[in-house]
């Protein structure tokens, strides 16, 4: 049996990844996040990734992974907010972004490796093009994504790691982007208006 550990399985790309993985009858999903969905092979460990102290540690993860001959770890959960100029960012929102996009993936990976006593058979970090280019107002998102890419580049020296840029898609994150104000935002509105945002299920199929 394969266990796929996925953060943020309640909606968007995370749910699509989980549903796609569960099409294999020899796979179960351990969802890490605030909520999940009903499936006989989905196990949810509820926690708020913006509060990393609530993440499961190695001792808790060990029995949750029992029976898995192969473990795949997918870091999907992310927040794009706060969007705005430096000097006007909400401090609490910046802390949440750092915790969800950066601190929680590092801690969860570390505890999972401890629990397994080996590296996962594969680790995927869902990143963004924003990790490697400047987008007006996206400093918190870009910085946290780029920082976590560096962490997983270090892991890749010892284990099988893929850093995935899935591109834009029709998720709640794009709703937040369209609701914000920043230079270049019209491109995201245009993609939505023209119906050019892919469905998360299409992207998930390619990733899986």
């Amino acid at each position: 049996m394969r266990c796929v550990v996925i953060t943020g399985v309640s909606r968007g790309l995370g749910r699509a990844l989980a549903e796609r993985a569960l099409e294999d009858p020899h796979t179960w999903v351990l969802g890490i996040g605030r909520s999940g969905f009903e499936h006989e092979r989905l196990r949810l460990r509820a926690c708020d990734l913006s509060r990393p102290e609530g993440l499961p540690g190695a001792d808790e993860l060990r029995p949750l992974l029992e029976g898995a001959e192969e473990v795949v770890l997918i870091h999907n959960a992310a927040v794009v907010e706060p969007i705005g100029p430096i000097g006007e960012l909400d401090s609490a929102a910046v802390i949440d972004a750092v915790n969800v996009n950066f601190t929680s993936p590092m801690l969860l990976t570390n505890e999972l490796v401890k629990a397994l006593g080996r590296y996962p058979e594969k680790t995927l970090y869902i990143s963004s093009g924003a990790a490697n280019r400047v987008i007006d107002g996206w400093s918190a998102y870009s910085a946290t994504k780029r920082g976590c890419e560096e962490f997983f580049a270090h892991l890749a020296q010892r284990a099988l790691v893929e850093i995935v840029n899935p591109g834009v898609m029709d998720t709640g994150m794009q709703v937040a982007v369209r609701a914000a104000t920043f230079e270049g935002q019209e491109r995201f509105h245009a993609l939505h208006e023209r119906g050019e945002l892919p469905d998360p299920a299409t992207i998930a199929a390619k990733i899986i």
Side-chain angles (χ1 to χ4, degrees):
M1 291 292 288
R2 175 190 299 111
C3 177
V4 183
V5 182
I6 307 177
T7 60
V9 297
S10 63
R11 58 187 180 138
L13 181 60
R15 176 162 184 160
L17 286 166
E19 290 175 338
R20 184 73 180 192
L22 288 167
E23 290 180 8
D24 178 358
H26 303 293
T27 294
W28 86 83
V29 169
L30 173 59
I32 308 288
R34 284 178 292 187
S35 59
F37 60 93
E38 290 296 323
H39 193 285
E40 61 182 1
R41 284 182 280 114
L42 172 67
R43 306 173 187 175
L44 176 69
R45 174 29 169 100
C47 66
D48 183 348
L49 296 171
S50 69
R51 302 292 178 265
E53 63 273 12
L55 285 167
D59 289 342
E60 184 181 351
L61 286 168
R62 203 169 286 118
L64 292 174
L65 300 169
E66 189 175 357
E69 298 165 340
E70 178 182 342
V71 175
V72 176
L73 174 59
I74 303 179
H75 291 287
N76 159 77
V79 293
V80 70
E81 301 96 334
I83 297 175
I86 295 170
E88 298 180 13
L89 300 174
D90 178 76
S91 295
V94 171
I95 291 170
D96 284 351
V98 172
N99 285 339
V100 174
N101 299 347
F102 185 53
T103 305
S104 286
M106 289 197 298
L107 293 178
L108 180 59
T109 302
N110 189 60
E111 293 302 312
L112 186 71
V113 172
K114 280 188 200 177
L116 290 172
R118 67 177 197 278
Y119 295 108
E121 275 62 41
K122 192 163 195 175
T123 299
L124 280 74
Y125 178 63
I126 307 299
S127 189
S128 167
N132 297 290
R133 66 188 177 96
V134 173
I135 301 176
D136 178 64
W138 290 32
S139 58
Y141 183 70
S142 294
T144 52
K145 285 293 186 180
R146 185 166 182 172
C148 223
E149 281 196 5
E150 184 65 21
F151 175 81
F152 287 106
H154 281 72
L155 181 63
Q157 299 301 302
R158 297 176 176 269
L160 184 58
V161 174
E162 294 285 350
I163 295 173
V164 180
N165 174 11
V168 296
M169 68 193 89
D170 193 11
T171 64
M173 184 176 288
Q174 282 298 306
V175 174
V177 167
R178 293 193 299 272
T181 301
F182 59 94
E183 185 178 335
Q185 185 193 41
E186 60 276 2
R187 180 175 80 87
F188 297 95
H189 279 286
L191 288 170
H192 179 251
E193 289 165 5
R194 295 196 300 262
E196 294 178 3
L197 291 173
D199 184 84
T202 303
I203 303 299
K206 294 178 182 180
I207 293 172
I208 294 295

PDB file of all heavy atoms in Angstrom, residues 1 3 10 13 17 21 23 28 31 34 36 44 52 58 61 63-64 85 94 102 106 115 123-124 131 133 143:
ATOM      1  N   MET A   1       0.833  -1.205   0.000  1.00  0.00           N
ATOM      2  CA  MET A   1       0.000   0.000   0.000  1.00  0.00           C
ATOM      3  C   MET A   1       0.868   1.256   0.000  1.00  0.00           C
ATOM      4  O   MET A   1       1.943   1.285   0.569  1.00  0.00           O
ATOM      5  CB  MET A   1      -0.907   0.022   1.234  1.00  0.00           C
ATOM      6  CG  MET A   1      -1.990  -1.024   1.232  1.00  0.00           C
ATOM      7  SD  MET A   1      -3.254  -0.731  -0.034  1.00  0.00           S
ATOM      8  CE  MET A   1      -4.120   0.689   0.635  1.00  0.00           C
ATOM      9  N   CYS A   3       0.922   5.357   0.911  1.00  0.00           N
ATOM     10  CA  CYS A   3       0.290   6.463   1.610  1.00  0.00           C
ATOM     11  C   CYS A   3       0.771   7.767   0.991  1.00  0.00           C
ATOM     12  O   CYS A   3       1.982   8.000   0.874  1.00  0.00           O
ATOM     13  CB  CYS A   3       0.631   6.440   3.095  1.00  0.00           C
ATOM     14  SG  CYS A   3      -0.054   7.861   3.997  1.00  0.00           S
ATOM     15  N   SER A  10      -9.010  20.047   1.488  1.00  0.00           N
ATOM     16  CA  SER A  10     -10.441  20.350   1.539  1.00  0.00           C
ATOM     17  C   SER A  10     -10.975  20.923   0.236  1.00  0.00           C
ATOM     18  O   SER A  10     -12.158  20.784  -0.075  1.00  0.00           O
ATOM     19  CB  SER A  10     -10.739  21.316   2.693  1.00  0.00           C
ATOM     20  OG  SER A  10     -10.088  22.556   2.482  1.00  0.00           O
ATOM     21  N   LEU A  13      -6.599  22.620  -5.516  1.00  0.00           N
ATOM     22  CA  LEU A  13      -5.652  21.641  -6.035  1.00  0.00           C
ATOM     23  C   LEU A  13      -5.425  20.506  -5.040  1.00  0.00           C
ATOM     24  O   LEU A  13      -5.278  19.345  -5.450  1.00  0.00           O
ATOM     25  CB  LEU A  13      -4.321  22.329  -6.360  1.00  0.00           C
ATOM     26  CG  LEU A  13      -3.227  21.423  -6.928  1.00  0.00           C
ATOM     27  CD1 LEU A  13      -3.665  20.767  -8.232  1.00  0.00           C
ATOM     28  CD2 LEU A  13      -1.932  22.193  -7.117  1.00  0.00           C
ATOM     29  N   LEU A  17      -5.766  16.685  -6.044  1.00  0.00           N
ATOM     30  CA  LEU A  17      -4.642  15.751  -5.929  1.00  0.00           C
ATOM     31  C   LEU A  17      -5.045  14.519  -5.124  1.00  0.00           C
ATOM     32  O   LEU A  17      -4.711  13.384  -5.492  1.00  0.00           O
ATOM     33  CB  LEU A  17      -3.457  16.445  -5.261  1.00  0.00           C
ATOM     34  CG  LEU A  17      -2.691  17.457  -6.111  1.00  0.00           C
ATOM     35  CD1 LEU A  17      -1.778  18.309  -5.223  1.00  0.00           C
ATOM     36  CD2 LEU A  17      -1.880  16.768  -7.197  1.00  0.00           C
ATOM     37  N   ALA A  21      -5.210  10.705  -6.503  1.00  0.00           N
ATOM     38  CA  ALA A  21      -4.409   9.651  -5.881  1.00  0.00           C
ATOM     39  C   ALA A  21      -5.279   8.485  -5.434  1.00  0.00           C
ATOM     40  O   ALA A  21      -4.888   7.317  -5.541  1.00  0.00           O
ATOM     41  CB  ALA A  21      -3.641  10.221  -4.691  1.00  0.00           C
ATOM     42  N   GLU A  23      -7.808   7.282  -6.784  1.00  0.00           N
ATOM     43  CA  GLU A  23      -8.275   6.426  -7.876  1.00  0.00           C
ATOM     44  C   GLU A  23      -7.514   5.104  -7.899  1.00  0.00           C
ATOM     45  O   GLU A  23      -8.010   4.109  -8.431  1.00  0.00           O
ATOM     46  CB  GLU A  23      -8.131   7.153  -9.216  1.00  0.00           C
ATOM     47  CG  GLU A  23      -9.100   8.315  -9.385  1.00  0.00           C
ATOM     48  CD  GLU A  23      -8.932   9.019 -10.712  1.00  0.00           C
ATOM     49  OE1 GLU A  23      -8.170   8.512 -11.567  1.00  0.00           O
ATOM     50  OE2 GLU A  23      -9.554  10.084 -10.908  1.00  0.00           O
ATOM     51  N   TRP A  28      -3.852   5.098   0.037  1.00  0.00           N
ATOM     52  CA  TRP A  28      -4.683   5.892   0.933  1.00  0.00           C
ATOM     53  C   TRP A  28      -4.016   7.245   1.129  1.00  0.00           C
ATOM     54  O   TRP A  28      -2.825   7.407   0.889  1.00  0.00           O
ATOM     55  CB  TRP A  28      -4.975   5.180   2.247  1.00  0.00           C
ATOM     56  CG  TRP A  28      -3.967   5.326   3.355  1.00  0.00           C
ATOM     57  CD1 TRP A  28      -3.857   6.355   4.237  1.00  0.00           C
ATOM     58  CD2 TRP A  28      -2.946   4.388   3.723  1.00  0.00           C
ATOM     59  NE1 TRP A  28      -2.833   6.124   5.128  1.00  0.00           N
ATOM     60  CE2 TRP A  28      -2.268   4.926   4.838  1.00  0.00           C
ATOM     61  CE3 TRP A  28      -2.545   3.149   3.222  1.00  0.00           C
ATOM     62  CZ2 TRP A  28      -1.193   4.262   5.452  1.00  0.00           C
ATOM     63  CZ3 TRP A  28      -1.497   2.496   3.824  1.00  0.00           C
ATOM     64  CH2 TRP A  28      -0.834   3.040   4.915  1.00  0.00           C
ATOM     65  N   GLY A  31      -4.556  13.295   4.986  1.00  0.00           N
ATOM     66  CA  GLY A  31      -4.716  14.719   4.779  1.00  0.00           C
ATOM     67  C   GLY A  31      -4.318  15.494   6.029  1.00  0.00           C
ATOM     68  O   GLY A  31      -4.731  15.148   7.133  1.00  0.00           O
ATOM     69  N   ARG A  34      -7.136  21.756   7.924  1.00  0.00           N
ATOM     70  CA  ARG A  34      -8.293  22.056   8.769  1.00  0.00           C
ATOM     71  C   ARG A  34      -9.488  21.157   8.496  1.00  0.00           C
ATOM     72  O   ARG A  34     -10.296  20.894   9.383  1.00  0.00           O
ATOM     73  CB  ARG A  34      -8.680  23.526   8.605  1.00  0.00           C
ATOM     74  CG  ARG A  34      -7.746  24.458   9.346  1.00  0.00           C
ATOM     75  CD  ARG A  34      -8.089  25.897   9.158  1.00  0.00           C
ATOM     76  NE  ARG A  34      -7.862  26.345   7.784  1.00  0.00           N
ATOM     77  CZ  ARG A  34      -7.962  27.602   7.378  1.00  0.00           C
ATOM     78  NH1 ARG A  34      -8.317  28.540   8.235  1.00  0.00           N
ATOM     79  NH2 ARG A  34      -7.719  27.937   6.136  1.00  0.00           N
ATOM     80  N   GLY A  36     -11.360  18.031   5.458  1.00  0.00           N
ATOM     81  CA  GLY A  36     -11.140  17.149   4.315  1.00  0.00           C
ATOM     82  C   GLY A  36     -12.446  16.878   3.604  1.00  0.00           C
ATOM     83  O   GLY A  36     -13.295  17.755   3.491  1.00  0.00           O
ATOM     84  N   LEU A  44      -7.944  12.083   7.924  1.00  0.00           N
ATOM     85  CA  LEU A  44      -7.648  13.495   8.144  1.00  0.00           C
ATOM     86  C   LEU A  44      -7.010  13.683   9.509  1.00  0.00           C
ATOM     87  O   LEU A  44      -7.539  13.229  10.523  1.00  0.00           O
ATOM     88  CB  LEU A  44      -8.921  14.341   8.058  1.00  0.00           C
ATOM     89  CG  LEU A  44      -8.737  15.830   8.359  1.00  0.00           C
ATOM     90  CD1 LEU A  44      -7.938  16.515   7.248  1.00  0.00           C
ATOM     91  CD2 LEU A  44     -10.090  16.505   8.547  1.00  0.00           C
ATOM     92  N   PRO A  52       1.883  26.226  13.449  1.00  0.00           N
ATOM     93  CA  PRO A  52       2.706  25.024  13.286  1.00  0.00           C
ATOM     94  C   PRO A  52       2.893  24.204  14.548  1.00  0.00           C
ATOM     95  O   PRO A  52       3.215  23.011  14.474  1.00  0.00           O
ATOM     96  CB  PRO A  52       4.063  25.566  12.797  1.00  0.00           C
ATOM     97  CG  PRO A  52       3.921  27.018  12.615  1.00  0.00           C
ATOM     98  CD  PRO A  52       2.569  27.448  13.044  1.00  0.00           C
ATOM     99  N   ALA A  58       6.582  13.238  15.138  1.00  0.00           N
ATOM    100  CA  ALA A  58       6.982  11.915  14.663  1.00  0.00           C
ATOM    101  C   ALA A  58       6.238  10.799  15.394  1.00  0.00           C
ATOM    102  O   ALA A  58       5.807   9.819  14.778  1.00  0.00           O
ATOM    103  CB  ALA A  58       8.489  11.745  14.825  1.00  0.00           C
ATOM    104  N   LEU A  61       2.790  10.594  13.961  1.00  0.00           N
ATOM    105  CA  LEU A  61       2.778  10.196  12.551  1.00  0.00           C
ATOM    106  C   LEU A  61       3.085   8.708  12.368  1.00  0.00           C
ATOM    107  O   LEU A  61       2.545   8.069  11.457  1.00  0.00           O
ATOM    108  CB  LEU A  61       3.799  11.016  11.761  1.00  0.00           C
ATOM    109  CG  LEU A  61       3.416  12.473  11.473  1.00  0.00           C
ATOM    110  CD1 LEU A  61       4.617  13.242  10.945  1.00  0.00           C
ATOM    111  CD2 LEU A  61       2.260  12.540  10.471  1.00  0.00           C
ATOM    112  N   PRO A  63       2.248   5.787  13.859  1.00  0.00           N
ATOM    113  CA  PRO A  63       1.119   4.854  13.690  1.00  0.00           C
ATOM    114  C   PRO A  63       0.191   5.229  12.538  1.00  0.00           C
ATOM    115  O   PRO A  63      -0.453   4.348  11.954  1.00  0.00           O
ATOM    116  CB  PRO A  63       0.386   4.932  15.039  1.00  0.00           C
ATOM    117  CG  PRO A  63       0.825   6.204  15.662  1.00  0.00           C
ATOM    118  CD  PRO A  63       2.209   6.448  15.179  1.00  0.00           C
ATOM    119  N   LEU A  64       0.113   6.512  12.201  1.00  0.00           N
ATOM    120  CA  LEU A  64      -0.740   6.920  11.084  1.00  0.00           C
ATOM    121  C   LEU A  64      -0.212   6.389   9.751  1.00  0.00           C
ATOM    122  O   LEU A  64      -0.968   6.219   8.800  1.00  0.00           O
ATOM    123  CB  LEU A  64      -0.839   8.445  11.026  1.00  0.00           C
ATOM    124  CG  LEU A  64      -1.586   9.141  12.165  1.00  0.00           C
ATOM    125  CD1 LEU A  64      -1.477  10.657  12.037  1.00  0.00           C
ATOM    126  CD2 LEU A  64      -3.057   8.726  12.184  1.00  0.00           C
ATOM    127  N   PRO A  85       1.786  46.720  -0.787  1.00  0.00           N
ATOM    128  CA  PRO A  85       3.139  47.256  -0.681  1.00  0.00           C
ATOM    129  C   PRO A  85       3.734  47.031   0.704  1.00  0.00           C
ATOM    130  O   PRO A  85       3.018  47.032   1.708  1.00  0.00           O
ATOM    131  CB  PRO A  85       2.959  48.748  -0.976  1.00  0.00           C
ATOM    132  CG  PRO A  85       1.533  49.037  -0.668  1.00  0.00           C
ATOM    133  CD  PRO A  85       0.775  47.790  -0.942  1.00  0.00           C
ATOM    134  N   VAL A  94       1.168  38.405   7.577  1.00  0.00           N
ATOM    135  CA  VAL A  94       2.529  38.017   7.181  1.00  0.00           C
ATOM    136  C   VAL A  94       2.972  36.796   7.973  1.00  0.00           C
ATOM    137  O   VAL A  94       3.539  35.839   7.413  1.00  0.00           O
ATOM    138  CB  VAL A  94       3.516  39.180   7.381  1.00  0.00           C
ATOM    139  CG1 VAL A  94       4.960  38.702   7.176  1.00  0.00           C
ATOM    140  CG2 VAL A  94       3.213  40.319   6.425  1.00  0.00           C
ATOM    141  N   PHE A 102       5.954  28.253   4.616  1.00  0.00           N
ATOM    142  CA  PHE A 102       7.384  28.045   4.857  1.00  0.00           C
ATOM    143  C   PHE A 102       7.644  27.173   6.088  1.00  0.00           C
ATOM    144  O   PHE A 102       8.204  26.089   5.982  1.00  0.00           O
ATOM    145  CB  PHE A 102       8.044  29.420   5.001  1.00  0.00           C
ATOM    146  CG  PHE A 102       9.539  29.398   5.132  1.00  0.00           C
ATOM    147  CD1 PHE A 102      10.339  28.745   4.209  1.00  0.00           C
ATOM    148  CD2 PHE A 102      10.161  30.060   6.176  1.00  0.00           C
ATOM    149  CE1 PHE A 102      11.723  28.738   4.323  1.00  0.00           C
ATOM    150  CE2 PHE A 102      11.551  30.063   6.307  1.00  0.00           C
ATOM    151  CZ  PHE A 102      12.329  29.397   5.383  1.00  0.00           C
ATOM    152  N   MET A 106       8.475  22.778   6.333  1.00  0.00           N
ATOM    153  CA  MET A 106       9.766  22.319   6.862  1.00  0.00           C
ATOM    154  C   MET A 106       9.576  21.405   8.059  1.00  0.00           C
ATOM    155  O   MET A 106      10.186  20.321   8.143  1.00  0.00           O
ATOM    156  CB  MET A 106      10.636  23.517   7.244  1.00  0.00           C
ATOM    157  CG  MET A 106      11.166  24.294   6.068  1.00  0.00           C
ATOM    158  SD  MET A 106      12.564  25.364   6.524  1.00  0.00           S
ATOM    159  CE  MET A 106      11.768  26.458   7.708  1.00  0.00           C
ATOM    160  N   ALA A 115       9.656   9.987  11.684  1.00  0.00           N
ATOM    161  CA  ALA A 115       8.674   8.923  11.898  1.00  0.00           C
ATOM    162  C   ALA A 115       8.986   7.692  11.058  1.00  0.00           C
ATOM    163  O   ALA A 115       8.855   6.557  11.522  1.00  0.00           O
ATOM    164  CB  ALA A 115       7.271   9.433  11.588  1.00  0.00           C
ATOM    165  N   THR A 123       8.957  13.368  -2.561  1.00  0.00           N
ATOM    166  CA  THR A 123       8.411  14.577  -1.945  1.00  0.00           C
ATOM    167  C   THR A 123       8.142  15.589  -3.046  1.00  0.00           C
ATOM    168  O   THR A 123       9.017  15.849  -3.887  1.00  0.00           O
ATOM    169  CB  THR A 123       9.391  15.177  -0.920  1.00  0.00           C
ATOM    170  OG1 THR A 123       9.620  14.226   0.123  1.00  0.00           O
ATOM    171  CG2 THR A 123       8.841  16.460  -0.327  1.00  0.00           C
ATOM    172  N   LEU A 124       6.932  16.149  -3.056  1.00  0.00           N
ATOM    173  CA  LEU A 124       6.570  17.200  -4.012  1.00  0.00           C
ATOM    174  C   LEU A 124       6.256  18.475  -3.244  1.00  0.00           C
ATOM    175  O   LEU A 124       5.487  18.450  -2.276  1.00  0.00           O
ATOM    176  CB  LEU A 124       5.343  16.808  -4.840  1.00  0.00           C
ATOM    177  CG  LEU A 124       5.543  15.867  -6.024  1.00  0.00           C
ATOM    178  CD1 LEU A 124       5.778  14.443  -5.547  1.00  0.00           C
ATOM    179  CD2 LEU A 124       4.328  15.903  -6.943  1.00  0.00           C
ATOM    180  N   ALA A 131       7.940  32.490  -6.978  1.00  0.00           N
ATOM    181  CA  ALA A 131       9.117  32.228  -6.144  1.00  0.00           C
ATOM    182  C   ALA A 131      10.391  32.774  -6.772  1.00  0.00           C
ATOM    183  O   ALA A 131      11.379  33.000  -6.076  1.00  0.00           O
ATOM    184  CB  ALA A 131       9.264  30.728  -5.900  1.00  0.00           C
ATOM    185  N   ARG A 133      10.361  35.371  -9.379  1.00  0.00           N
ATOM    186  CA  ARG A 133      10.224  36.663 -10.040  1.00  0.00           C
ATOM    187  C   ARG A 133       9.402  37.596  -9.166  1.00  0.00           C
ATOM    188  O   ARG A 133       8.635  37.153  -8.312  1.00  0.00           O
ATOM    189  CB  ARG A 133       9.593  36.521 -11.424  1.00  0.00           C
ATOM    190  CG  ARG A 133       8.163  36.043 -11.449  1.00  0.00           C
ATOM    191  CD  ARG A 133       7.707  35.760 -12.870  1.00  0.00           C
ATOM    192  NE  ARG A 133       6.362  35.233 -12.947  1.00  0.00           N
ATOM    193  CZ  ARG A 133       5.284  35.962 -13.176  1.00  0.00           C
ATOM    194  NH1 ARG A 133       5.397  37.270 -13.348  1.00  0.00           N
ATOM    195  NH2 ARG A 133       4.099  35.413 -13.261  1.00  0.00           N
ATOM    196  N   ALA A 143       8.504  35.500  -1.182  1.00  0.00           N
ATOM    197  CA  ALA A 143       9.618  35.211  -0.280  1.00  0.00           C
ATOM    198  C   ALA A 143       9.467  33.852   0.390  1.00  0.00           C
ATOM    199  O   ALA A 143      10.438  33.086   0.508  1.00  0.00           O
ATOM    200  CB  ALA A 143       9.726  36.303   0.776  1.00  0.00           C
TER     201      ALA A 143
END
